[in-house]
Amino acid sequence: MNSGDICKLDGHVIRVLYNEQQIADRVRVLAQEIAARDFEKLLVVSILKGSFIFAADLLRSLYKYGVRLEMDFMMLASYGSNLESSGQIQILRDIESSVRDRPVILVDDILESGRTIAFAKDLIVARGAAEVSLCVFLDKPGKRAVNINADFLGFNTPDLFVVGYGMDMSHSFRELPYVGVVET
Ligand code: IMP
Ligand code: MG
């Protein structure tokens, strides 16, 4: 599967944006950037559901670069349509770990308006984390509503609806090993 290839799945046309190799190369570089920071007592929080594959790949790459860490999960939902998040964020599942006085990396799939990750960051800061960094797989800066940026970023992506590598459209396509743009 190469960038630009077309896949027809369930009546949709999906164009490959980043293939498996491009993703793996980028994740490795991100892991090196994080490893270079020498975080101590690091807690990595994957924001579900969209980041689960990215987080899993990132963790295993971090291990290869010698990073020791703890992992936790937070599931957030934003009210609104399926294609765009609203201002209202709800915690569906909270982390169990204490964040007090330790560095935390929040891992998410896409930074778009920024509301979801800003909510999570504010919450973790309020609970006393020593430092909160944002590691985001894709940045779509075109629709930003909150002044927030990723500290560790996979790709800058055009304002198109993407699926795969954990990301869905109406609960489908999370399992695609590549990132694709839904054309129709
Ligand atoms: P925001 O930054 O609060 O606007 O929310 C970003 C979230 O919206 C992401 O974590 C995704 O769950 C979802 N999202 C935004 N754009 C896309 C997309 O292109 N495909 C799939 N989900 C998306
Ligand atoms: Mg999400």
mmCIF file of all heavy atoms in Angstrom, residues 47 106 108 110-125 132-136 138-153 156:
data_model
loop_
_atom_site.group_PDB
_atom_site.id
_atom_site.type_symbol
_atom_site.label_atom_id
_atom_site.label_comp_id
_atom_site.label_asym_id
_atom_site.label_seq_id
_atom_site.Cartn_x
_atom_site.Cartn_y
_atom_site.Cartn_z
ATOM 1 N N ILE A 47 -5.582 8.590 25.243
ATOM 2 C CA ILE A 47 -6.967 9.063 25.213
ATOM 3 C C ILE A 47 -7.736 8.202 24.207
ATOM 4 O O ILE A 47 -7.435 8.194 23.013
ATOM 5 C CB ILE A 47 -7.027 10.566 24.875
ATOM 6 C CG1 ILE A 47 -6.268 11.339 25.956
ATOM 7 C CG2 ILE A 47 -8.480 11.034 24.776
ATOM 8 C CD1 ILE A 47 -6.208 12.823 25.755
ATOM 9 N N LEU A 106 0.168 12.994 27.491
ATOM 10 C CA LEU A 106 -1.148 12.635 26.969
ATOM 11 C C LEU A 106 -0.989 12.278 25.504
ATOM 12 O O LEU A 106 -0.402 13.049 24.728
ATOM 13 C CB LEU A 106 -2.106 13.827 27.090
ATOM 14 C CG LEU A 106 -2.492 14.249 28.493
ATOM 15 C CD1 LEU A 106 -3.359 15.523 28.427
ATOM 16 C CD2 LEU A 106 -3.259 13.138 29.189
ATOM 17 N N ASP A 108 -2.878 11.412 21.990
ATOM 18 C CA ASP A 108 -4.167 11.436 21.284
ATOM 19 C C ASP A 108 -3.949 11.248 19.788
ATOM 20 O O ASP A 108 -2.829 11.382 19.288
ATOM 21 C CB ASP A 108 -4.929 12.729 21.580
ATOM 22 C CG ASP A 108 -6.439 12.549 21.427
ATOM 23 O OD1 ASP A 108 -6.900 11.438 21.062
ATOM 24 O OD2 ASP A 108 -7.180 13.521 21.655
ATOM 25 N N ILE A 110 -5.817 12.828 17.097
ATOM 26 C CA ILE A 110 -5.908 14.030 16.252
ATOM 27 C C ILE A 110 -6.135 15.265 17.117
ATOM 28 O O ILE A 110 -6.966 15.259 18.014
ATOM 29 C CB ILE A 110 -7.082 13.931 15.258
ATOM 30 C CG1 ILE A 110 -6.944 12.687 14.381
ATOM 31 C CG2 ILE A 110 -7.159 15.169 14.387
ATOM 32 C CD1 ILE A 110 -8.036 12.536 13.365
ATOM 33 N N LEU A 111 -5.404 16.296 16.801
ATOM 34 C CA LEU A 111 -5.623 17.605 17.425
ATOM 35 C C LEU A 111 -6.320 18.454 16.375
ATOM 36 O O LEU A 111 -5.744 18.760 15.327
ATOM 37 C CB LEU A 111 -4.256 18.188 17.788
ATOM 38 C CG LEU A 111 -4.160 19.513 18.513
ATOM 39 C CD1 LEU A 111 -4.970 19.522 19.794
ATOM 40 C CD2 LEU A 111 -2.697 19.812 18.824
ATOM 41 N N GLU A 112 -7.587 18.794 16.660
ATOM 42 C CA GLU A 112 -8.323 19.564 15.658
ATOM 43 C C GLU A 112 -8.736 20.898 16.271
ATOM 44 O O GLU A 112 -7.985 21.860 16.201
ATOM 45 C CB GLU A 112 -9.510 18.757 15.131
ATOM 46 C CG GLU A 112 -10.079 19.380 13.872
ATOM 47 C CD GLU A 112 -11.126 18.516 13.197
ATOM 48 O OE1 GLU A 112 -12.026 18.010 13.879
ATOM 49 O OE2 GLU A 112 -11.046 18.378 11.962
ATOM 50 N N SER A 113 -9.920 20.957 16.915
ATOM 51 C CA SER A 113 -10.262 22.215 17.597
ATOM 52 C C SER A 113 -9.325 22.403 18.792
ATOM 53 O O SER A 113 -9.058 23.522 19.209
ATOM 54 C CB SER A 113 -11.715 22.188 18.080
ATOM 55 O OG SER A 113 -11.863 21.355 19.208
ATOM 56 N N GLY A 114 -8.869 21.278 19.355
ATOM 57 C CA GLY A 114 -8.007 21.331 20.530
ATOM 58 C C GLY A 114 -8.780 21.204 21.830
ATOM 59 O O GLY A 114 -8.202 21.111 22.908
ATOM 60 N N ARG A 115 -10.109 21.192 21.745
ATOM 61 C CA ARG A 115 -10.928 21.205 22.968
ATOM 62 C C ARG A 115 -10.755 19.936 23.792
ATOM 63 O O ARG A 115 -10.684 19.987 25.018
ATOM 64 C CB ARG A 115 -12.408 21.375 22.606
ATOM 65 C CG ARG A 115 -12.739 22.755 22.088
ATOM 66 C CD ARG A 115 -14.241 22.913 21.954
ATOM 67 N NE ARG A 115 -14.577 24.166 21.314
ATOM 68 C CZ ARG A 115 -14.999 24.263 20.064
ATOM 69 N NH1 ARG A 115 -15.153 23.185 19.319
ATOM 70 N NH2 ARG A 115 -15.286 25.440 19.554
ATOM 71 N N THR A 116 -10.692 18.793 23.109
ATOM 72 C CA THR A 116 -10.610 17.524 23.837
ATOM 73 C C THR A 116 -9.321 17.453 24.644
ATOM 74 O O THR A 116 -9.333 17.177 25.849
ATOM 75 C CB THR A 116 -10.657 16.336 22.846
ATOM 76 O OG1 THR A 116 -11.765 16.510 21.970
ATOM 77 C CG2 THR A 116 -10.770 15.024 23.573
ATOM 78 N N ILE A 117 -8.211 17.723 23.982
ATOM 79 C CA ILE A 117 -6.937 17.559 24.675
ATOM 80 C C ILE A 117 -6.707 18.690 25.676
ATOM 81 O O ILE A 117 -6.084 18.482 26.719
ATOM 82 C CB ILE A 117 -5.778 17.381 23.674
ATOM 83 C CG1 ILE A 117 -4.675 16.551 24.327
ATOM 84 C CG2 ILE A 117 -5.266 18.685 23.145
ATOM 85 C CD1 ILE A 117 -3.823 15.781 23.366
ATOM 86 N N ALA A 118 -7.257 19.867 25.403
ATOM 87 C CA ALA A 118 -7.131 20.975 26.362
ATOM 88 C C ALA A 118 -7.866 20.615 27.656
ATOM 89 O O ALA A 118 -7.380 20.865 28.764
ATOM 90 C CB ALA A 118 -7.702 22.266 25.773
ATOM 91 N N PHE A 119 -9.023 19.980 27.498
ATOM 92 C CA PHE A 119 -9.792 19.529 28.662
ATOM 93 C C PHE A 119 -8.970 18.530 29.480
ATOM 94 O O PHE A 119 -8.856 18.644 30.708
ATOM 95 C CB PHE A 119 -11.103 18.886 28.181
ATOM 96 C CG PHE A 119 -11.904 18.228 29.268
ATOM 97 C CD1 PHE A 119 -12.846 18.946 29.990
ATOM 98 C CD2 PHE A 119 -11.709 16.881 29.567
ATOM 99 C CE1 PHE A 119 -13.581 18.336 31.007
ATOM 100 C CE2 PHE A 119 -12.435 16.261 30.586
ATOM 101 C CZ PHE A 119 -13.379 16.984 31.299
ATOM 102 N N ALA A 120 -8.395 17.550 28.795
ATOM 103 C CA ALA A 120 -7.611 16.517 29.486
ATOM 104 C C ALA A 120 -6.388 17.131 30.146
ATOM 105 O O ALA A 120 -6.041 16.792 31.285
ATOM 106 C CB ALA A 120 -7.201 15.435 28.487
ATOM 107 N N LYS A 121 -5.729 18.032 29.458
ATOM 108 C CA LYS A 121 -4.521 18.658 30.014
ATOM 109 C C LYS A 121 -4.865 19.463 31.274
ATOM 110 O O LYS A 121 -4.186 19.343 32.303
ATOM 111 C CB LYS A 121 -3.857 19.561 28.967
ATOM 112 C CG LYS A 121 -2.561 20.168 29.468
ATOM 113 C CD LYS A 121 -1.833 20.961 28.415
ATOM 114 C CE LYS A 121 -0.524 21.503 29.006
ATOM 115 N NZ LYS A 121 0.272 22.242 28.019
ATOM 116 N N ASP A 122 -5.928 20.272 31.201
ATOM 117 C CA ASP A 122 -6.335 21.080 32.357
ATOM 118 C C ASP A 122 -6.629 20.183 33.566
ATOM 119 O O ASP A 122 -6.265 20.508 34.698
ATOM 120 C CB ASP A 122 -7.583 21.910 32.032
ATOM 121 C CG ASP A 122 -7.279 23.036 31.056
ATOM 122 O OD1 ASP A 122 -6.084 23.307 30.801
ATOM 123 O OD2 ASP A 122 -8.242 23.637 30.526
ATOM 124 N N LEU A 123 -7.283 19.063 33.296
ATOM 125 C CA LEU A 123 -7.645 18.140 34.369
ATOM 126 C C LEU A 123 -6.399 17.559 35.051
ATOM 127 O O LEU A 123 -6.299 17.520 36.278
ATOM 128 C CB LEU A 123 -8.466 17.001 33.749
ATOM 129 C CG LEU A 123 -9.105 15.993 34.672
ATOM 130 C CD1 LEU A 123 -10.259 16.640 35.434
ATOM 131 C CD2 LEU A 123 -9.635 14.807 33.859
ATOM 132 N N ILE A 124 -5.425 17.144 34.247
ATOM 133 C CA ILE A 124 -4.219 16.510 34.780
ATOM 134 C C ILE A 124 -3.333 17.547 35.495
ATOM 135 O O ILE A 124 -2.738 17.257 36.531
ATOM 136 C CB ILE A 124 -3.432 15.801 33.642
ATOM 137 C CG1 ILE A 124 -4.317 14.753 32.941
ATOM 138 C CG2 ILE A 124 -2.156 15.164 34.165
ATOM 139 C CD1 ILE A 124 -4.766 13.609 33.799
ATOM 140 N N VAL A 125 -3.305 18.748 34.951
ATOM 141 C CA VAL A 125 -2.565 19.835 35.615
ATOM 142 C C VAL A 125 -3.211 20.128 36.973
ATOM 143 O O VAL A 125 -2.524 20.242 37.993
ATOM 144 C CB VAL A 125 -2.537 21.111 34.737
ATOM 145 C CG1 VAL A 125 -2.065 22.321 35.534
ATOM 146 C CG2 VAL A 125 -1.642 20.902 33.516
ATOM 147 N N VAL A 132 2.870 18.372 31.995
ATOM 148 C CA VAL A 132 2.003 17.625 31.079
ATOM 149 C C VAL A 132 2.403 17.937 29.640
ATOM 150 O O VAL A 132 2.377 19.098 29.221
ATOM 151 C CB VAL A 132 0.506 17.962 31.283
ATOM 152 C CG1 VAL A 132 -0.362 17.135 30.335
ATOM 153 C CG2 VAL A 132 0.088 17.719 32.729
ATOM 154 N N SER A 133 2.816 16.904 28.897
ATOM 155 C CA SER A 133 3.172 17.087 27.485
ATOM 156 C C SER A 133 2.123 16.412 26.616
ATOM 157 O O SER A 133 1.493 15.440 27.030
ATOM 158 C CB SER A 133 4.525 16.458 27.164
ATOM 159 O OG SER A 133 5.472 16.775 28.135
ATOM 160 N N LEU A 134 1.985 16.913 25.409
ATOM 161 C CA LEU A 134 0.991 16.371 24.484
ATOM 162 C C LEU A 134 1.689 15.691 23.316
ATOM 163 O O LEU A 134 2.513 16.310 22.637
ATOM 164 C CB LEU A 134 0.101 17.501 23.944
ATOM 165 C CG LEU A 134 -0.555 18.385 25.001
ATOM 166 C CD1 LEU A 134 -1.392 19.472 24.335
ATOM 167 C CD2 LEU A 134 -1.406 17.549 25.950
ATOM 168 N N CYS A 135 1.356 14.446 23.120
ATOM 169 C CA CYS A 135 1.899 13.698 21.990
ATOM 170 C C CYS A 135 0.735 13.323 21.086
ATOM 171 O O CYS A 135 -0.146 12.563 21.485
ATOM 172 C CB CYS A 135 2.622 12.449 22.484
ATOM 173 S SG CYS A 135 3.285 11.469 21.139
ATOM 174 N N VAL A 136 0.698 13.902 19.908
ATOM 175 C CA VAL A 136 -0.451 13.749 19.025
ATOM 176 C C VAL A 136 0.011 13.185 17.689
ATOM 177 O O VAL A 136 1.020 13.621 17.137
ATOM 178 C CB VAL A 136 -1.138 15.123 18.824
ATOM 179 C CG1 VAL A 136 -2.310 14.990 17.866
ATOM 180 C CG2 VAL A 136 -1.604 15.694 20.145
ATOM 181 N N LEU A 138 -1.740 13.176 14.658
ATOM 182 C CA LEU A 138 -1.999 14.095 13.548
ATOM 183 C C LEU A 138 -2.442 15.455 14.062
ATOM 184 O O LEU A 138 -3.266 15.542 14.966
ATOM 185 C CB LEU A 138 -3.120 13.555 12.645
ATOM 186 C CG LEU A 138 -2.941 12.175 12.024
ATOM 187 C CD1 LEU A 138 -4.165 11.857 11.155
ATOM 188 C CD2 LEU A 138 -1.667 12.096 11.202
ATOM 189 N N ASP A 139 -1.934 16.492 13.447
ATOM 190 C CA ASP A 139 -2.381 17.850 13.768
ATOM 191 C C ASP A 139 -3.102 18.408 12.558
ATOM 192 O O ASP A 139 -2.560 18.439 11.455
ATOM 193 C CB ASP A 139 -1.171 18.728 14.113
ATOM 194 C CG ASP A 139 -1.589 20.087 14.677
ATOM 195 O OD1 ASP A 139 -2.811 20.364 14.749
ATOM 196 O OD2 ASP A 139 -0.699 20.869 15.046
ATOM 197 N N LYS A 140 -4.385 18.811 12.783
ATOM 198 C CA LYS A 140 -5.141 19.500 11.742
ATOM 199 C C LYS A 140 -5.376 20.923 12.236
ATOM 200 O O LYS A 140 -6.401 21.209 12.864
ATOM 201 C CB LYS A 140 -6.468 18.777 11.486
ATOM 202 C CG LYS A 140 -6.292 17.343 11.013
ATOM 203 C CD LYS A 140 -7.468 16.828 10.192
ATOM 204 C CE LYS A 140 -8.696 16.609 11.008
ATOM 205 N NZ LYS A 140 -9.776 15.917 10.255
ATOM 206 N N PRO A 141 -4.411 21.815 11.996
ATOM 207 C CA PRO A 141 -4.460 23.140 12.630
ATOM 208 C C PRO A 141 -5.538 24.063 12.060
ATOM 209 O O PRO A 141 -5.853 25.082 12.660
ATOM 210 C CB PRO A 141 -3.060 23.717 12.371
ATOM 211 C CG PRO A 141 -2.495 22.946 11.238
ATOM 212 C CD PRO A 141 -3.204 21.629 11.176
ATOM 213 N N GLY A 142 -6.143 23.677 10.949
ATOM 214 C CA GLY A 142 -7.127 24.546 10.275
ATOM 215 C C GLY A 142 -8.350 24.892 11.094
ATOM 216 O O GLY A 142 -8.959 25.938 10.883
ATOM 217 N N LYS A 143 -8.734 24.028 12.037
ATOM 218 C CA LYS A 143 -9.983 24.273 12.778
ATOM 219 C C LYS A 143 -9.738 24.511 14.265
ATOM 220 O O LYS A 143 -10.611 24.254 15.098
ATOM 221 C CB LYS A 143 -10.922 23.070 12.614
ATOM 222 C CG LYS A 143 -11.494 22.958 11.221
ATOM 223 C CD LYS A 143 -12.590 21.913 11.188
ATOM 224 C CE LYS A 143 -12.944 21.551 9.748
ATOM 225 N NZ LYS A 143 -13.416 20.173 9.627
ATOM 226 N N ARG A 144 -8.549 25.001 14.614
ATOM 227 C CA ARG A 144 -8.224 25.167 16.028
ATOM 228 C C ARG A 144 -9.123 26.223 16.680
ATOM 229 O O ARG A 144 -9.299 27.306 16.137
ATOM 230 C CB ARG A 144 -6.767 25.564 16.184
ATOM 231 C CG ARG A 144 -6.250 25.380 17.582
ATOM 232 C CD ARG A 144 -5.956 23.919 17.967
ATOM 233 N NE ARG A 144 -4.572 23.588 17.742
ATOM 234 C CZ ARG A 144 -4.141 22.787 16.795
ATOM 235 N NH1 ARG A 144 -4.987 22.215 15.960
ATOM 236 N NH2 ARG A 144 -2.865 22.543 16.650
ATOM 237 N N ALA A 145 -9.705 25.889 17.822
ATOM 238 C CA ALA A 145 -10.542 26.830 18.566
ATOM 239 C C ALA A 145 -9.889 27.225 19.883
ATOM 240 O O ALA A 145 -10.286 28.191 20.516
ATOM 241 C CB ALA A 145 -11.910 26.209 18.836
ATOM 242 N N VAL A 146 -8.906 26.432 20.319
ATOM 243 C CA VAL A 146 -8.228 26.658 21.593
ATOM 244 C C VAL A 146 -6.748 26.810 21.284
ATOM 245 O O VAL A 146 -6.223 26.145 20.395
ATOM 246 C CB VAL A 146 -8.424 25.421 22.516
ATOM 247 C CG1 VAL A 146 -7.678 25.580 23.822
ATOM 248 C CG2 VAL A 146 -9.903 25.175 22.776
ATOM 249 N N ASN A 147 -6.061 27.688 22.002
ATOM 250 C CA ASN A 147 -4.637 27.893 21.740
ATOM 251 C C ASN A 147 -3.809 26.793 22.399
ATOM 252 O O ASN A 147 -3.375 26.942 23.536
ATOM 253 C CB ASN A 147 -4.226 29.289 22.258
ATOM 254 C CG ASN A 147 -2.775 29.586 21.948
ATOM 255 O OD1 ASN A 147 -2.179 28.955 21.064
ATOM 256 N ND2 ASN A 147 -2.196 30.506 22.692
ATOM 257 N N ILE A 148 -3.621 25.708 21.677
ATOM 258 C CA ILE A 148 -2.886 24.570 22.238
ATOM 259 C C ILE A 148 -2.146 23.870 21.103
ATOM 260 O O ILE A 148 -2.642 23.805 19.971
ATOM 261 C CB ILE A 148 -3.849 23.607 22.984
ATOM 262 C CG1 ILE A 148 -3.079 22.640 23.874
ATOM 263 C CG2 ILE A 148 -4.779 22.877 22.029
ATOM 264 C CD1 ILE A 148 -3.935 22.021 24.964
ATOM 265 N N ASN A 149 -0.947 23.394 21.390
ATOM 266 C CA ASN A 149 -0.157 22.714 20.359
ATOM 267 C C ASN A 149 0.483 21.457 20.921
ATOM 268 O O ASN A 149 0.666 21.320 22.124
ATOM 269 C CB ASN A 149 0.923 23.646 19.821
ATOM 270 C CG ASN A 149 0.332 24.688 18.897
ATOM 271 O OD1 ASN A 149 -0.292 24.359 17.896
ATOM 272 N ND2 ASN A 149 0.480 25.947 19.277
ATOM 273 N N ALA A 150 0.839 20.542 20.016
ATOM 274 C CA ALA A 150 1.471 19.297 20.434
ATOM 275 C C ALA A 150 2.936 19.550 20.768
ATOM 276 O O ALA A 150 3.603 20.352 20.108
ATOM 277 C CB ALA A 150 1.361 18.265 19.322
ATOM 278 N N ASP A 151 3.431 18.854 21.796
ATOM 279 C CA ASP A 151 4.868 18.900 22.107
ATOM 280 C C ASP A 151 5.606 17.873 21.264
ATOM 281 O O ASP A 151 6.777 18.064 20.928
ATOM 282 C CB ASP A 151 5.076 18.609 23.593
ATOM 283 C CG ASP A 151 4.354 19.628 24.457
ATOM 284 O OD1 ASP A 151 4.830 20.766 24.520
ATOM 285 O OD2 ASP A 151 3.291 19.298 25.034
ATOM 286 N N PHE A 152 4.941 16.779 20.980
ATOM 287 C CA PHE A 152 5.491 15.725 20.122
ATOM 288 C C PHE A 152 4.425 15.427 19.071
ATOM 289 O O PHE A 152 3.303 15.071 19.422
ATOM 290 C CB PHE A 152 5.802 14.465 20.940
ATOM 291 C CG PHE A 152 6.685 14.724 22.139
ATOM 292 C CD1 PHE A 152 6.140 14.827 23.405
ATOM 293 C CD2 PHE A 152 8.061 14.895 21.981
ATOM 294 C CE1 PHE A 152 6.936 15.079 24.514
ATOM 295 C CE2 PHE A 152 8.872 15.149 23.083
ATOM 296 C CZ PHE A 152 8.305 15.245 24.352
ATOM 297 N N LEU A 153 4.764 15.613 17.803
ATOM 298 C CA LEU A 153 3.755 15.509 16.740
ATOM 299 C C LEU A 153 4.176 14.531 15.649
ATOM 300 O O LEU A 153 5.311 14.586 15.158
ATOM 301 C CB LEU A 153 3.526 16.900 16.128
ATOM 302 C CG LEU A 153 2.626 16.938 14.882
ATOM 303 C CD1 LEU A 153 1.209 16.504 15.213
ATOM 304 C CD2 LEU A 153 2.632 18.330 14.266
ATOM 305 N N ASN A 156 1.685 16.813 10.364
ATOM 306 C CA ASN A 156 0.785 17.927 10.071
ATOM 307 C C ASN A 156 -0.084 17.495 8.910
ATOM 308 O O ASN A 156 0.430 17.141 7.853
ATOM 309 C CB ASN A 156 1.594 19.149 9.649
ATOM 310 C CG ASN A 156 1.707 20.131 10.773
ATOM 311 O OD1 ASN A 156 0.696 20.564 11.329
ATOM 312 N ND2 ASN A 156 2.934 20.476 11.124
#
